[in-house]
Amino acid sequence: MMQKKNRAFLKWAGGKYSLVEAINAKLPSGNRLIEPFVGAGSVFLNTNFKRYLLNDINPDLINLYNFLKAQPDAVIHDASRFFTRDHNCEATYYALREEFNQTSDEYYRAILFIYLNRHGFNGLCRYSLAGRFNVPFGRYKKPYFPHEEMLFFAEKSQKAVFTCLPFEKIFGRARRGNVIYCDPPYAPVSKTAAFTSYASSSFGLDAQHKLAKLAVRASYKRGIPVLISNHDLPITRQLYTSADISELSVRRSISQNGATRKPVAEILAYFTPNLSLPKTKKRQQKRRAKQTQTA
């Protein structure tokens, strides 16, 4: 049974905090959880694997996680200094957003990323095609500084390796005994609902197809279980036709008008590992043993 739920220290569009029970119920046991699209890390924070490989295509996110893992006290102390009344105004926000876009100092970018995340509109993380962070000021009365959440993340991250690579490469690092959970940018429910620019590169239909193929290959040919979250749409049903589908209903908060935030149908697609693989492995091991003996 899961203990107290742990919140991510970042606000995140499409975060999985409200779904961790449903996701945990579908995740099998394993020696390492691999997340090719870690985002704010709610699944990581609410699971109990020995080790984690946590990846995201957003370099600012992974940069922050690595600094928080290595020097939590410094990161928490330095970030907290930006959570004052003087920093919670439009002019200061845009000045610091510009500093973030101009600086190449990775530590300073990590600190500012926390500030921008908590002071920007709706916790969005969005970049222009030129790679500039462009989320507008959020106008919150008193943005919350997530001190305890950052401490917990830093402590748990000692079990994790953080990488910033294309998701295809992360599938290549999976080994038998690992479990893969994917929370990719969702297939849009409509053309105007597409939101895939949080790392200044889009995640289109080709990428959705590629991810589904990799999931089939990992589970069927390599015996590695894969669980994927996505919108419940005809296209995702088609892509995940060989998976075991669970239906969910989730209240999303990305709509600008709070009154129009309606529950959205989502699915969890579980690609069952091919359990006949160990026999093949045993045959390979016997063959190697014979080759060693005759060498």
Side-chain angles (χ1 to χ4, degrees):
M1 192 173 168
M2 201 167 71
Q3 302 299 309
K4 168 187 169 282
K5 279 172 76 174
N6 299 291
R7 282 197 178 274
F9 70 90
L10 294 172
K11 295 167 77 175
W12 208 254
K16 289 294 173 287
Y17 180 77
S18 65
L19 294 179
V20 290
E21 294 91 346
I23 292 166
N24 261 321
K26 296 295 291 183
L27 283 173
S29 58
N31 56 26
R32 180 172 69 160
L33 180 66
I34 297 177
E35 292 195 57
F37 312 89
V38 68
S42 287
V43 173
F44 156 60
L45 293 168
N46 291 285
T47 49
N48 290 301
F49 288 81
K50 263 188 192 173
R51 294 176 297 127
Y52 294 85
L53 173 56
L54 306 174
N55 180 77
D56 203 279
I57 200 65
N58 185 331
D60 290 317
L61 188 68
I62 297 304
N63 178 52
L64 167 57
Y65 289 167
N66 277 320
F67 274 118
L68 186 57
K69 176 185 175 180
Q71 39 189 307
D73 293 342
V75 171
I76 292 168
H77 173 266
D78 292 339
S80 69
R81 289 158 50 201
F82 288 87
F83 283 69
T84 66
R85 186 182 294 176
D86 289 345
H87 287 91
N88 190 28
C89 74
E90 197 164 355
T92 305
Y93 174 84
Y94 287 118
L96 287 171
R97 190 181 78 172
E98 186 57 30
E99 282 192 32
F100 175 83
N101 284 324
Q102 294 285 349
T103 186
S104 57
D105 182 323
E106 290 187 344
Y107 183 76
Y108 190 40
R109 278 183 80 88
I111 301 305
L112 287 179
F113 191 82
I114 301 166
Y115 165 79
L116 294 170
N117 174 263
R118 285 276 166 183
H119 291 75
F121 176 74
N122 223 18
L124 289 177
C125 182
R126 190 185 66 194
Y127 299 79
S128 69
L129 290 174
R132 290 172 59 83
F133 189 88
N134 62 5
V135 177
F137 183 54
R139 304 183 187 282
Y140 299 109
K141 277 189 179 177
K142 190 181 179 184
Y144 171 68
F145 182 65
H147 181 272
E148 293 303 316
E149 291 87 343
M150 289 173 75
L151 274 177
F152 183 81
F153 189 101
E155 186 182 338
K156 185 148 192 183
S157 68
Q158 302 310 308
K159 295 180 177 180
V161 171
F162 296 101
T163 57
C164 183
L165 295 165
F167 68 91
E168 302 94 324
K169 296 205 170 186
I170 297 306
F171 269 81
R173 294 190 174 190
R175 297 292 178 266
R176 194 166 176 79
N178 296 173
V179 177
I180 301 175
Y181 169 64
C182 298
D183 182 26
Y186 278 15
V189 291
S190 67
K191 284 184 180 178
T192 55
F195 177 73
T196 57
S197 58
Y198 86 104
S200 76
S201 61
S202 67
F203 194 90
L205 200 53
D206 283 352
Q208 298 282 0
H209 274 278
K210 192 179 285 184
L211 175 60
K213 276 185 181 177
L214 285 169
V216 170
R217 191 182 304 157
S219 60
Y220 186 72
K221 292 190 175 177
R222 303 179 65 205
I224 301 167
V226 181
L227 184 66
I228 304 180
S229 299
N230 216 319
H231 278 142
D232 190 353
L233 299 168
I235 182 62
T236 52
R237 291 273 181 165
Q238 185 186 335
L239 287 173
Y240 308 149
T241 188
S242 63
D244 172 29
I245 302 288
S246 303
E247 297 167 7
L248 306 165
S249 184
V250 186
R251 192 168 182 80
R252 281 276 166 250
S253 58
I254 201 167
S255 168
Q256 188 164 351
N257 181 355
T260 63
R261 291 173 192 166
K262 296 174 183 174
V264 177
E266 296 194 12
I267 53 175
L268 283 172
Y270 180 63
F271 294 81
T272 310
N274 183 352
L275 299 176
S276 66
L277 282 174
K279 293 176 185 175
T280 310
K281 205 163 187 181
K282 280 177 187 173
R283 282 199 296 269
Q284 288 173 344
Q285 285 171 344
K286 279 182 183 176
R287 200 180 301 128
R288 282 198 200 105
K290 279 183 182 175
Q291 286 170 349
T292 307
Q293 287 166 5
T294 56

